[in-house]
Coordinates of all heavy atoms in Angstrom, one line a residue:
M1083 N 0.8 -1.2 0.0 CA 0.0 0.0 0.0 C 0.9 1.3 0.0 O 1.8 1.3 0.7 CB -0.9 0.0 1.3 CG -1.8 1.2 1.3 SD -3.1 1.1 2.6 CE -2.2 1.5 4.0
R1084 N 0.5 2.2 -0.9 CA 1.2 3.5 -0.9 C 0.4 4.5 0.0 O -0.8 4.3 0.2 CB 1.4 4.0 -2.3 CG 2.4 3.1 -3.0 CD 2.7 3.7 -4.4 NE 3.2 5.1 -4.3 CZ 3.7 5.7 -5.4 NH1 3.8 5.2 -6.6 NH2 4.1 7.0 -5.3
I1085 N 1.1 5.6 0.4 CA 0.4 6.6 1.1 C -0.7 7.2 0.3 O -1.8 7.4 0.8 CB 1.4 7.7 1.5 CG1 2.5 7.1 2.5 CG2 0.7 8.9 2.2 CD1 3.7 8.0 2.7
Q1086 N -0.5 7.3 -1.0 CA -1.6 7.9 -1.8 C -2.8 7.0 -1.9 O -3.9 7.5 -2.0 CB -1.1 8.2 -3.2 CG -0.4 7.1 -3.9 CD 0.1 7.5 -5.3 OE1 -0.2 6.9 -6.3 NE2 0.9 8.6 -5.3
D1087 N -2.7 5.6 -1.7 CA -3.8 4.7 -1.6 C -4.6 5.0 -0.4 O -5.9 5.0 -0.4 CB -3.4 3.3 -1.6 CG -2.6 2.9 -2.8 OD1 -2.9 3.4 -3.9 OD2 -1.7 2.1 -2.7
L1088 N -3.9 5.3 0.7 CA -4.6 5.6 2.0 C -5.3 6.9 1.9 O -6.5 7.1 2.3 CB -3.5 5.7 3.1 CG -4.0 6.0 4.5 CD1 -5.0 5.0 5.0 CD2 -2.7 6.0 5.4
Q1089 N -4.7 7.9 1.2 CA -5.3 9.2 1.0 C -6.6 9.0 0.2 O -7.6 9.6 0.5 CB -4.3 10.2 0.3 CG -3.2 10.6 1.2 CD -2.1 11.3 0.4 OE1 -1.8 10.9 -0.7 NE2 -1.5 12.3 1.0
Q1091 N -8.4 6.3 -0.1 CA -9.4 5.6 0.7 C -10.2 6.6 1.6 O -11.4 6.5 1.7 CB -8.6 4.6 1.6 CG -9.3 3.3 1.8 CD -8.3 2.4 2.6 OE1 -7.2 2.3 2.3 NE2 -8.8 1.7 3.6
W1109 N -0.9 8.7 12.4 CA -0.3 7.4 12.1 C 1.2 7.6 12.1 O 1.9 6.8 12.8 CB -0.8 7.0 10.7 CG 0.0 5.9 10.0 CD1 0.3 4.7 10.6 CD2 0.4 5.8 8.7 NE1 0.9 3.9 9.7 CE2 1.0 4.5 8.5 CE3 0.3 6.6 7.6 CZ2 1.5 4.1 7.3 CZ3 0.9 6.2 6.4 CH2 1.5 5.0 6.2
L1137 N -9.3 0.9 9.7 CA -8.1 1.5 9.1 C -6.8 1.3 10.0 O -5.7 1.0 9.6 CB -8.4 3.0 8.9 CG -7.4 3.7 8.1 CD1 -7.4 3.2 6.6 CD2 -7.8 5.2 8.0
Q1140 N -5.6 -2.1 9.6 CA -5.0 -2.2 8.3 C -3.5 -1.7 8.3 O -2.6 -2.3 7.8 CB -5.8 -1.4 7.3 CG -5.6 -1.7 5.8 CD -6.4 -0.7 5.0 OE1 -7.4 -0.2 5.4 NE2 -5.9 -0.4 3.8
L1141 N -3.4 -0.6 9.0 CA -2.0 0.0 9.1 C -1.1 -0.8 10.0 O 0.1 -1.0 9.7 CB -2.1 1.5 9.6 CG -2.8 2.4 8.7 CD1 -3.0 3.8 9.3 CD2 -2.1 2.6 7.4
Q1142 N -1.7 -1.3 11.1 CA -0.9 -2.2 12.0 C -0.4 -3.4 11.3 O 0.7 -4.0 11.6 CB -1.6 -2.5 13.2 CG -1.6 -1.3 14.2 CD -2.6 -1.5 15.4 OE1 -3.2 -2.5 15.5 NE2 -2.6 -0.5 16.2
L1144 N 0.6 -3.7 8.4 CA 1.7 -3.5 7.4 C 3.1 -4.1 7.8 O 3.9 -4.4 7.0 CB 1.8 -2.0 7.1 CG 0.7 -1.4 6.3 CD1 0.8 0.1 6.2 CD2 0.7 -2.0 4.8
Q1165 N 4.0 -7.5 5.7 CA 2.7 -8.2 5.6 C 2.9 -9.5 4.8 O 2.2 -10.5 5.1 CB 1.6 -7.4 5.0 CG 0.2 -7.8 5.3 CD -0.7 -6.6 5.1 OE1 -0.4 -5.6 4.4 NE2 -1.9 -6.8 5.6
R1204 N 12.2 -6.9 -3.8 CA 11.0 -6.1 -4.1 C 11.2 -4.7 -3.5 O 12.0 -4.5 -2.7 CB 9.7 -6.7 -3.7 CG 9.4 -6.6 -2.2 CD 7.9 -6.9 -2.0 NE 7.4 -7.0 -0.7 CZ 7.1 -6.1 0.2 NH1 7.3 -4.8 -0.1 NH2 6.6 -6.4 1.4
V1206 N 10.1 -1.5 -1.2 CA 9.3 -1.2 0.0 C 8.4 -0.1 -0.3 O 8.8 1.0 -0.8 CB 10.3 -0.9 1.2 CG1 9.6 -0.5 2.4 CG2 11.2 -2.1 1.5
S1207 N 7.1 -0.2 0.0 CA 6.2 0.8 -0.3 C 6.3 2.0 0.6 O 6.9 1.9 1.7 CB 4.7 0.3 -0.3 OG 4.4 0.1 1.1
S1208 N 5.8 3.2 0.2 CA 5.9 4.4 1.0 C 5.2 4.1 2.4 O 5.7 4.6 3.4 CB 5.2 5.6 0.3 OG 3.9 5.2 -0.1
A1209 N 4.1 3.4 2.4 CA 3.4 3.1 3.7 C 4.3 2.2 4.5 O 4.3 2.3 5.8 CB 2.1 2.4 3.4
E1210 N 5.0 1.3 3.9 CA 5.9 0.4 4.7 C 7.1 1.2 5.3 O 7.7 0.8 6.3 CB 6.4 -0.8 3.9 CG 5.3 -1.8 3.6 CD 5.7 -2.8 2.5 OE1 6.5 -2.5 1.6 OE2 5.1 -3.9 2.6
I1211 N 7.5 2.2 4.6 CA 8.6 3.1 5.1 C 8.1 3.8 6.3 O 8.7 3.9 7.4 CB 9.1 4.1 4.0 CG1 9.8 3.3 2.9 CG2 10.1 5.1 4.6 CD1 10.1 4.1 1.7
T1213 N 5.7 2.9 8.2 CA 5.5 1.8 9.2 C 6.8 1.6 10.0 O 6.8 1.5 11.3 CB 5.1 0.5 8.6 OG1 3.8 0.7 8.1 CG2 5.0 -0.6 9.6
N1241 N 8.3 6.0 -4.0 CA 7.9 5.7 -2.7 C 8.7 6.4 -1.6 O 8.2 6.9 -0.6 CB 8.1 4.2 -2.5 CG 6.9 3.3 -3.0 OD1 5.8 3.5 -2.6 ND2 7.2 2.5 -4.0
E1244 N 7.6 10.1 -1.5 CA 6.3 10.2 -0.9 C 6.4 10.1 0.7 O 5.8 10.9 1.4 CB 5.4 9.0 -1.4 CG 3.9 9.3 -1.4 CD 3.2 8.2 -2.1 OE1 2.9 7.2 -1.4 OE2 2.9 8.3 -3.3

Side-chain angles (χ1 to χ4, degrees):
M1083 183 170 75
R1084 287 186 60 171
I1085 296 167
Q1086 56 183 230
D1087 300 326
L1088 180 59
Q1089 288 168 322
Q1091 215 174 317
W1109 171 44
L1137 194 59
Q1140 196 185 333
L1141 295 174
Q1142 280 170 2
L1144 288 172
Q1165 204 161 15
R1204 79 160 168 85
V1206 173
S1207 74
S1208 52
E1210 289 171 332
I1211 294 171
T1213 293
N1241 279 298
E1244 210 174 81

